[in-house]
């Protein structure tokens, strides 16, 4: 049985003091949540936010990492550094990393393999641009991202991986994919996993939707068979909204 995950992606927002304040205000909502919950915060806030999260069910996540353990990679953060901060999740291959920082499926693949080697749980982002959606080739695009991104990753690792389908045209635009569009792609990804790893592994892999998720559209998205939660940007910066999102489906 797949346990849904609601993960916040704070992106480049919040100073340490602001991050601590927001995290503290999320604790009650996380405690009542029936789904798994996580916040992926800026590197600078990981340590302090981690302290606030101690003993809570809200998991700590990072937004990126380098695949090497150490070396001459100015400005980068290694998996060992994340381990030291007791990070559980790490977002990899977010479309903003691919777009603005030239990450490719090959670099994302290296990062996923490294994260798994270091006991981290990758949240692997895939998704097409508006141009690709309008050309109708979004499934080929996402399939390519997955085939290359998952090269060398064995089926027994899948339970540690979460996939997030995030159509670029829906990120931060207020234009959510319809639940039918989101479900269609998440179902396609699950079928692809089935062809790559077999039915059982595919049934177990958690697939999130991301892109303008808000309290008023989460219910419908989560009611879809193949959508196991959400990766939330903008709405994760509001304590009220993220509390509502974490408690989707709870009485
Ligand atoms: P958004 O971002 O919820 O602000 O659209 C989602 C994401 O980029 O992960």
């Amino acid at each position: 049985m797949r346990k849904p995950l609601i993960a916040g992606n704070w992106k480049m927002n919040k100073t340490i003091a602001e991050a601590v304040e927001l995290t503290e205000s999320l604790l009650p909502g996380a405690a009542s949540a029936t789904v798994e919950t996580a916040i992926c915060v800026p590197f600078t806030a990981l340590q302090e936010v981690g302290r606030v999260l101690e003993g809570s069910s809200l998991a700590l996540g990072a937004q990126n990492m380098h695949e090497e353990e150490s070396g001459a990679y100015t400005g980068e953060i290694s998996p060992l550094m994340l381990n030291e901060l007791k990070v559980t999740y790490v977002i990899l291959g977010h479309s903003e990393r691919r777009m603005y920082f030239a990450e490719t499926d090959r670099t994302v693949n290296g990062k996923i393999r490294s994260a798994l080697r270091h006991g981290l749980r990758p949240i692997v982002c895939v998704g097409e641009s508006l141009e690709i959606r309008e050309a109708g080739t979004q499934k080929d695009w996402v399939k390519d991202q997955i085939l290359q991104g998952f090269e060398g990753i064995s089926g027994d690792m899948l339970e540690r991986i979460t996939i997030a389908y995030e159509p670029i045209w829906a990120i931060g635009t207020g234009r959510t994919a319809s639940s039918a569009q989101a479900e269609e792609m998440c179902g396609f990804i699950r079928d692809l996993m089935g062809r790559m790893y077999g039915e059982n592994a595919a049934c177990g892999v958690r697939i999130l939707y991301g892109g303008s998720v808000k309290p008023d559209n989460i219910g419908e998205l989560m009611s879809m068979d193949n959508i196991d939660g959400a990766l939330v940007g903008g709405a994760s910066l509001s304590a009220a909204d993220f509390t509502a999102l974490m408690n989707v489906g709870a009485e």
Side-chain angles (χ1 to χ4, degrees):
M1 220 8 219
R2 305 188 294 269
K3 186 148 192 208
L5 170 68
I6 299 291
N9 172 12
W10 289 8
K11 309 193 178 183
M12 194 176 72
N13 292 291
K14 304 291 176 192
T15 61
I16 297 173
E18 290 166 348
V20 165
E21 193 186 333
L22 177 56
T23 305
E24 280 168 349
S25 63
L26 293 175
L27 291 178
S32 58
T34 55
V35 298
E36 282 184 25
T37 56
I39 45 176
C40 301
V41 309
F43 291 129
T44 47
L46 281 170
Q47 184 163 19
E48 289 303 317
V49 167
R51 271 199 196 115
V52 178
L53 293 180
E54 258 171 49
S56 89
S57 56
L58 186 54
L60 182 64
Q63 301 171 16
N64 180 34
M65 59 165 237
H66 194 278
E67 68 172 275
E68 297 293 339
E69 292 189 343
S70 63
Y73 302 103
T74 303
E76 291 293 307
I77 300 288
S78 90
L80 293 184
M81 297 169 184
L82 298 185
N83 285 157
E84 196 179 26
L85 292 163
K86 302 195 174 62
V87 164
T88 301
Y89 290 99
V90 58
I91 298 174
L92 297 175
H94 190 279
S95 60
E96 286 150 15
R97 300 285 329 162
R98 295 175 189 258
M99 233 180 335
Y100 305 133
F101 304 99
E103 288 195 13
T104 63
D105 292 324
R106 181 172 292 276
T107 54
V108 173
N109 175 251
K111 290 178 184 212
I112 300 172
R113 292 160 74 145
S114 172
L116 292 169
R117 274 198 308 278
H118 291 89
L120 293 157
R121 303 181 74 101
I123 299 175
V124 181
C125 301
V126 295
E128 80 286 359
S129 64
L130 185 58
E131 211 180 352
I132 292 167
R133 168 70 54 170
E134 284 175 345
T137 53
Q138 66 271 15
K139 286 186 181 163
D140 292 337
W141 179 266
V142 168
K143 181 177 168 187
D144 260 18
Q145 286 185 318
I146 291 183
L147 288 179
Q148 293 184 49
F150 279 65
E151 215 178 284
I153 291 164
S154 59
D156 57 338
M157 283 287 147
L158 271 201
E159 60 172 9
R160 299 196 57 80
I161 303 179
T162 297
I163 299 172
Y165 168 55
E166 298 206 310
I168 297 169
W169 46 273
I171 295 179
T173 57
R175 181 178 164 185
T176 329
S178 69
S179 47
Q181 285 173 319
E183 168 65 10
E184 188 185 7
M185 186 63 87
C186 291
F188 171 77
I189 293 171
R190 196 174 307 285
D191 284 349
L192 178 61
M193 287 286 127
R195 291 198 293 279
M196 292 164 72
Y197 296 107
E199 196 77 5
N200 267 356
C203 267
V205 70
R206 191 153 58 180
I207 305 176
L208 312 182
Y209 166 77
S212 298
V213 174
K214 308 237 158 32
D216 64 5
N217 57 29
I218 186 76
E220 196 182 331
L221 287 162
M222 296 268 294
S223 71
M224 298 287 136
D225 285 350
N226 287 296
I227 301 179
D228 309 316
L231 183 57
V232 184
S236 72
L237 297 171
S238 149
D241 282 356
F242 200 64
T243 295
L245 289 167
M246 289 189 291
N247 285 277
V248 58
E251 292 301 303

